[in-house]
Amino acid sequence: PRISDVGHKRADVLREVDARHLPRRVVGVAIDHAWRRAKLIVLDLSSSDRIVVQPRFTGALLIDVGALPENERRYSTVEFVLEDARSLHYRDIRRLGTVSVMDERRFARYSDGLGDEPLDSVFTVERLSAILRASRQAVKRVLMDQRRLVGVGNIYANEALWRARIDPSRPAATLSPADATRLHTELRAVLTEAVAARGTSFRDYRDASGARGSFADRLQAYGREGERCVRCGRTLISTHAIDGRSTVFCWQCQR
């Protein structure tokens, strides 16, 4: 679809382009392709520019066919009006995310600074092992470092490590080949299942149609501190000591 107009209520989410120049970059051009790079939503435009959305904690790109609820519209920061009468809203309750417009060269430089995609076929056990061997940091920190590995947020790092029976605080370089193999398998499984379930919603996350993701129903570690481990029955514990984020794990199962 072609973008026929653009409006904004909160220009503070804009990056790489200001509110005055935004219409010049996007109005009259078509959205050719939508895809993901790391935690970014990327819209390829017919002008060779790209709209790059980084949702962070409370952002979402919502398709509006004229029935977007007022509680969602209230937090719309940027609206791309399409020629087929639909709109594409970047909704962000806390406005921690960003909307950028980048040309091909700028996006290539930005993308080159990001790490491996864990769901790519080229991301092998050997590649994960090399990433782990190169760091003495806690393995959870390494999994979430977007310069090494992209798209793995706090929730999915918790889940993959629980499934792989690996202590999140273990120095990454101490993982054995068998540990790395299990982690590779479980990390890819968690991400694949989460994509199929359209993500994990606790409060604010919505998919492009405004629906909640259902992967929260399958969580075995994250958000279950104080509850019993479904594998061994021990009480799951939580800490913020590893990376300042909530880390939930089983002290019995995860070594």
Side-chain angles (χ1 to χ4, degrees), residues 171-193:
T174 68
L175 268 65
S176 68
D179 293 330
T181 298
R182 288 199 315 276
L183 182 56
H184 180 269
T185 297
E186 299 302 347
L187 180 61
R188 287 170 61 93
V190 164
L191 294 174
T192 300
E193 292 170 26

PDB file of all heavy atoms in Angstrom, residues 171-193:
ATOM      1  N   PRO A 171      29.419 -18.185  34.102  1.00  0.00           N
ATOM      2  CA  PRO A 171      30.211 -17.537  33.045  1.00  0.00           C
ATOM      3  C   PRO A 171      30.023 -18.284  31.723  1.00  0.00           C
ATOM      4  O   PRO A 171      30.121 -19.515  31.678  1.00  0.00           O
ATOM      5  CB  PRO A 171      31.642 -17.652  33.560  1.00  0.00           C
ATOM      6  CG  PRO A 171      31.506 -17.761  35.049  1.00  0.00           C
ATOM      7  CD  PRO A 171      30.244 -18.552  35.270  1.00  0.00           C
ATOM      8  N   ALA A 172      29.747 -17.551  30.669  1.00  0.00           N
ATOM      9  CA  ALA A 172      29.433 -18.184  29.386  1.00  0.00           C
ATOM     10  C   ALA A 172      30.537 -19.118  28.921  1.00  0.00           C
ATOM     11  O   ALA A 172      30.266 -20.190  28.365  1.00  0.00           O
ATOM     12  CB  ALA A 172      29.171 -17.104  28.341  1.00  0.00           C
ATOM     13  N   ALA A 173      31.777 -18.731  29.148  1.00  0.00           N
ATOM     14  CA  ALA A 173      32.901 -19.530  28.666  1.00  0.00           C
ATOM     15  C   ALA A 173      33.020 -20.881  29.343  1.00  0.00           C
ATOM     16  O   ALA A 173      33.754 -21.757  28.859  1.00  0.00           O
ATOM     17  CB  ALA A 173      34.207 -18.751  28.836  1.00  0.00           C
ATOM     18  N   THR A 174      32.325 -21.092  30.465  1.00  0.00           N
ATOM     19  CA  THR A 174      32.423 -22.368  31.181  1.00  0.00           C
ATOM     20  C   THR A 174      31.428 -23.407  30.675  1.00  0.00           C
ATOM     21  O   THR A 174      31.459 -24.548  31.125  1.00  0.00           O
ATOM     22  CB  THR A 174      32.202 -22.168  32.689  1.00  0.00           C
ATOM     23  OG1 THR A 174      30.832 -21.792  32.943  1.00  0.00           O
ATOM     24  CG2 THR A 174      33.137 -21.112  33.244  1.00  0.00           C
ATOM     25  N   LEU A 175      30.557 -23.023  29.747  1.00  0.00           N
ATOM     26  CA  LEU A 175      29.588 -23.990  29.242  1.00  0.00           C
ATOM     27  C   LEU A 175      30.293 -25.038  28.382  1.00  0.00           C
ATOM     28  O   LEU A 175      31.133 -24.706  27.542  1.00  0.00           O
ATOM     29  CB  LEU A 175      28.491 -23.293  28.429  1.00  0.00           C
ATOM     30  CG  LEU A 175      27.241 -22.881  29.215  1.00  0.00           C
ATOM     31  CD1 LEU A 175      27.579 -21.814  30.246  1.00  0.00           C
ATOM     32  CD2 LEU A 175      26.141 -22.393  28.284  1.00  0.00           C
ATOM     33  N   SER A 176      29.941 -26.278  28.610  1.00  0.00           N
ATOM     34  CA  SER A 176      30.526 -27.380  27.849  1.00  0.00           C
ATOM     35  C   SER A 176      29.871 -27.464  26.470  1.00  0.00           C
ATOM     36  O   SER A 176      28.824 -26.849  26.225  1.00  0.00           O
ATOM     37  CB  SER A 176      30.294 -28.695  28.588  1.00  0.00           C
ATOM     38  OG  SER A 176      28.911 -29.024  28.574  1.00  0.00           O
ATOM     39  N   PRO A 177      30.471 -28.237  25.549  1.00  0.00           N
ATOM     40  CA  PRO A 177      29.820 -28.455  24.252  1.00  0.00           C
ATOM     41  C   PRO A 177      28.399 -29.003  24.393  1.00  0.00           C
ATOM     42  O   PRO A 177      27.506 -28.617  23.631  1.00  0.00           O
ATOM     43  CB  PRO A 177      30.751 -29.446  23.554  1.00  0.00           C
ATOM     44  CG  PRO A 177      32.095 -29.150  24.140  1.00  0.00           C
ATOM     45  CD  PRO A 177      31.832 -28.822  25.584  1.00  0.00           C
ATOM     46  N   ALA A 178      28.186 -29.886  25.370  1.00  0.00           N
ATOM     47  CA  ALA A 178      26.844 -30.428  25.580  1.00  0.00           C
ATOM     48  C   ALA A 178      25.887 -29.340  26.061  1.00  0.00           C
ATOM     49  O   ALA A 178      24.724 -29.295  25.646  1.00  0.00           O
ATOM     50  CB  ALA A 178      26.902 -31.578  26.591  1.00  0.00           C
ATOM     51  N   ASP A 179      26.366 -28.459  26.959  1.00  0.00           N
ATOM     52  CA  ASP A 179      25.546 -27.337  27.422  1.00  0.00           C
ATOM     53  C   ASP A 179      25.162 -26.442  26.252  1.00  0.00           C
ATOM     54  O   ASP A 179      23.998 -26.022  26.124  1.00  0.00           O
ATOM     55  CB  ASP A 179      26.313 -26.487  28.444  1.00  0.00           C
ATOM     56  CG  ASP A 179      26.582 -27.202  29.752  1.00  0.00           C
ATOM     57  OD1 ASP A 179      25.771 -28.075  30.133  1.00  0.00           O
ATOM     58  OD2 ASP A 179      27.593 -26.883  30.394  1.00  0.00           O
ATOM     59  N   ALA A 180      26.137 -26.127  25.412  1.00  0.00           N
ATOM     60  CA  ALA A 180      25.888 -25.245  24.270  1.00  0.00           C
ATOM     61  C   ALA A 180      24.884 -25.866  23.306  1.00  0.00           C
ATOM     62  O   ALA A 180      24.021 -25.168  22.750  1.00  0.00           O
ATOM     63  CB  ALA A 180      27.198 -24.935  23.547  1.00  0.00           C
ATOM     64  N   THR A 181      24.967 -27.170  23.119  1.00  0.00           N
ATOM     65  CA  THR A 181      24.021 -27.858  22.233  1.00  0.00           C
ATOM     66  C   THR A 181      22.605 -27.771  22.781  1.00  0.00           C
ATOM     67  O   THR A 181      21.657 -27.481  22.036  1.00  0.00           O
ATOM     68  CB  THR A 181      24.432 -29.328  22.048  1.00  0.00           C
ATOM     69  OG1 THR A 181      25.723 -29.380  21.429  1.00  0.00           O
ATOM     70  CG2 THR A 181      23.431 -30.074  21.181  1.00  0.00           C
ATOM     71  N   ARG A 182      22.455 -28.034  24.087  1.00  0.00           N
ATOM     72  CA  ARG A 182      21.116 -27.937  24.691  1.00  0.00           C
ATOM     73  C   ARG A 182      20.592 -26.510  24.602  1.00  0.00           C
ATOM     74  O   ARG A 182      19.410 -26.281  24.296  1.00  0.00           O
ATOM     75  CB  ARG A 182      21.152 -28.375  26.160  1.00  0.00           C
ATOM     76  CG  ARG A 182      21.332 -29.847  26.391  1.00  0.00           C
ATOM     77  CD  ARG A 182      20.888 -30.259  27.799  1.00  0.00           C
ATOM     78  NE  ARG A 182      21.371 -29.352  28.829  1.00  0.00           N
ATOM     79  CZ  ARG A 182      22.583 -29.413  29.391  1.00  0.00           C
ATOM     80  NH1 ARG A 182      23.441 -30.349  28.968  1.00  0.00           N
ATOM     81  NH2 ARG A 182      22.935 -28.577  30.342  1.00  0.00           N
ATOM     82  N   LEU A 183      21.454 -25.533  24.900  1.00  0.00           N
ATOM     83  CA  LEU A 183      21.019 -24.139  24.884  1.00  0.00           C
ATOM     84  C   LEU A 183      20.612 -23.712  23.475  1.00  0.00           C
ATOM     85  O   LEU A 183      19.605 -23.023  23.291  1.00  0.00           O
ATOM     86  CB  LEU A 183      22.137 -23.240  25.412  1.00  0.00           C
ATOM     87  CG  LEU A 183      21.813 -21.745  25.505  1.00  0.00           C
ATOM     88  CD1 LEU A 183      20.571 -21.509  26.351  1.00  0.00           C
ATOM     89  CD2 LEU A 183      23.003 -20.989  26.086  1.00  0.00           C
ATOM     90  N   HIS A 184      21.366 -24.122  22.482  1.00  0.00           N
ATOM     91  CA  HIS A 184      21.036 -23.813  21.097  1.00  0.00           C
ATOM     92  C   HIS A 184      19.657 -24.371  20.738  1.00  0.00           C
ATOM     93  O   HIS A 184      18.812 -23.675  20.165  1.00  0.00           O
ATOM     94  CB  HIS A 184      22.107 -24.401  20.174  1.00  0.00           C
ATOM     95  CG  HIS A 184      21.879 -24.148  18.721  1.00  0.00           C
ATOM     96  ND1 HIS A 184      21.183 -25.015  17.912  1.00  0.00           N
ATOM     97  CD2 HIS A 184      22.255 -23.108  17.920  1.00  0.00           C
ATOM     98  CE1 HIS A 184      21.136 -24.534  16.684  1.00  0.00           C
ATOM     99  NE2 HIS A 184      21.782 -23.384  16.654  1.00  0.00           N
ATOM    100  N   THR A 185      19.413 -25.622  21.105  1.00  0.00           N
ATOM    101  CA  THR A 185      18.131 -26.265  20.804  1.00  0.00           C
ATOM    102  C   THR A 185      16.983 -25.546  21.498  1.00  0.00           C
ATOM    103  O   THR A 185      15.952 -25.235  20.882  1.00  0.00           O
ATOM    104  CB  THR A 185      18.163 -27.736  21.244  1.00  0.00           C
ATOM    105  OG1 THR A 185      19.164 -28.430  20.497  1.00  0.00           O
ATOM    106  CG2 THR A 185      16.813 -28.406  21.024  1.00  0.00           C
ATOM    107  N   GLU A 186      17.148 -25.273  22.789  1.00  0.00           N
ATOM    108  CA  GLU A 186      16.048 -24.693  23.560  1.00  0.00           C
ATOM    109  C   GLU A 186      15.814 -23.226  23.221  1.00  0.00           C
ATOM    110  O   GLU A 186      14.670 -22.759  23.224  1.00  0.00           O
ATOM    111  CB  GLU A 186      16.318 -24.858  25.056  1.00  0.00           C
ATOM    112  CG  GLU A 186      16.445 -26.300  25.526  1.00  0.00           C
ATOM    113  CD  GLU A 186      15.204 -27.139  25.235  1.00  0.00           C
ATOM    114  OE1 GLU A 186      14.140 -26.571  24.892  1.00  0.00           O
ATOM    115  OE2 GLU A 186      15.301 -28.378  25.346  1.00  0.00           O
ATOM    116  N   LEU A 187      16.888 -22.493  22.924  1.00  0.00           N
ATOM    117  CA  LEU A 187      16.716 -21.094  22.543  1.00  0.00           C
ATOM    118  C   LEU A 187      15.907 -20.983  21.260  1.00  0.00           C
ATOM    119  O   LEU A 187      14.952 -20.194  21.169  1.00  0.00           O
ATOM    120  CB  LEU A 187      18.089 -20.440  22.370  1.00  0.00           C
ATOM    121  CG  LEU A 187      18.100 -18.963  21.959  1.00  0.00           C
ATOM    122  CD1 LEU A 187      17.406 -18.112  23.001  1.00  0.00           C
ATOM    123  CD2 LEU A 187      19.532 -18.496  21.741  1.00  0.00           C
ATOM    124  N   ARG A 188      16.261 -21.762  20.276  1.00  0.00           N
ATOM    125  CA  ARG A 188      15.520 -21.728  19.013  1.00  0.00           C
ATOM    126  C   ARG A 188      14.087 -22.219  19.190  1.00  0.00           C
ATOM    127  O   ARG A 188      13.152 -21.687  18.573  1.00  0.00           O
ATOM    128  CB  ARG A 188      16.255 -22.559  17.964  1.00  0.00           C
ATOM    129  CG  ARG A 188      17.521 -21.875  17.464  1.00  0.00           C
ATOM    130  CD  ARG A 188      18.372 -22.792  16.603  1.00  0.00           C
ATOM    131  NE  ARG A 188      17.703 -23.253  15.411  1.00  0.00           N
ATOM    132  CZ  ARG A 188      17.792 -22.654  14.219  1.00  0.00           C
ATOM    133  NH1 ARG A 188      18.502 -21.555  14.078  1.00  0.00           N
ATOM    134  NH2 ARG A 188      17.172 -23.156  13.161  1.00  0.00           N
ATOM    135  N   ALA A 189      13.889 -23.208  20.066  1.00  0.00           N
ATOM    136  CA  ALA A 189      12.540 -23.718  20.307  1.00  0.00           C
ATOM    137  C   ALA A 189      11.664 -22.672  20.980  1.00  0.00           C
ATOM    138  O   ALA A 189      10.507 -22.466  20.599  1.00  0.00           O
ATOM    139  CB  ALA A 189      12.606 -24.985  21.160  1.00  0.00           C
ATOM    140  N   VAL A 190      12.209 -22.001  21.994  1.00  0.00           N
ATOM    141  CA  VAL A 190      11.446 -20.967  22.698  1.00  0.00           C
ATOM    142  C   VAL A 190      11.039 -19.855  21.742  1.00  0.00           C
ATOM    143  O   VAL A 190       9.875 -19.424  21.718  1.00  0.00           O
ATOM    144  CB  VAL A 190      12.268 -20.394  23.876  1.00  0.00           C
ATOM    145  CG1 VAL A 190      11.667 -19.075  24.372  1.00  0.00           C
ATOM    146  CG2 VAL A 190      12.324 -21.388  25.019  1.00  0.00           C
ATOM    147  N   LEU A 191      11.969 -19.373  20.941  1.00  0.00           N
ATOM    148  CA  LEU A 191      11.668 -18.280  20.016  1.00  0.00           C
ATOM    149  C   LEU A 191      10.656 -18.711  18.951  1.00  0.00           C
ATOM    150  O   LEU A 191       9.747 -17.954  18.608  1.00  0.00           O
ATOM    151  CB  LEU A 191      12.951 -17.775  19.372  1.00  0.00           C
ATOM    152  CG  LEU A 191      13.944 -17.096  20.314  1.00  0.00           C
ATOM    153  CD1 LEU A 191      15.238 -16.767  19.576  1.00  0.00           C
ATOM    154  CD2 LEU A 191      13.348 -15.838  20.933  1.00  0.00           C
ATOM    155  N   THR A 192      10.806 -19.920  18.447  1.00  0.00           N
ATOM    156  CA  THR A 192       9.872 -20.424  17.435  1.00  0.00           C
ATOM    157  C   THR A 192       8.464 -20.535  18.005  1.00  0.00           C
ATOM    158  O   THR A 192       7.479 -20.126  17.370  1.00  0.00           O
ATOM    159  CB  THR A 192      10.343 -21.789  16.904  1.00  0.00           C
ATOM    160  OG1 THR A 192      11.638 -21.640  16.310  1.00  0.00           O
ATOM    161  CG2 THR A 192       9.380 -22.328  15.864  1.00  0.00           C
ATOM    162  N   GLU A 193       8.356 -21.080  19.214  1.00  0.00           N
ATOM    163  CA  GLU A 193       7.042 -21.210  19.851  1.00  0.00           C
ATOM    164  C   GLU A 193       6.435 -19.851  20.162  1.00  0.00           C
ATOM    165  O   GLU A 193       5.219 -19.646  20.017  1.00  0.00           O
ATOM    166  CB  GLU A 193       7.171 -22.032  21.130  1.00  0.00           C
ATOM    167  CG  GLU A 193       7.511 -23.493  20.888  1.00  0.00           C
ATOM    168  CD  GLU A 193       7.866 -24.216  22.188  1.00  0.00           C
ATOM    169  OE1 GLU A 193       7.395 -23.781  23.257  1.00  0.00           O
ATOM    170  OE2 GLU A 193       8.621 -25.205  22.122  1.00  0.00           O
TER     171      GLU A 193
END
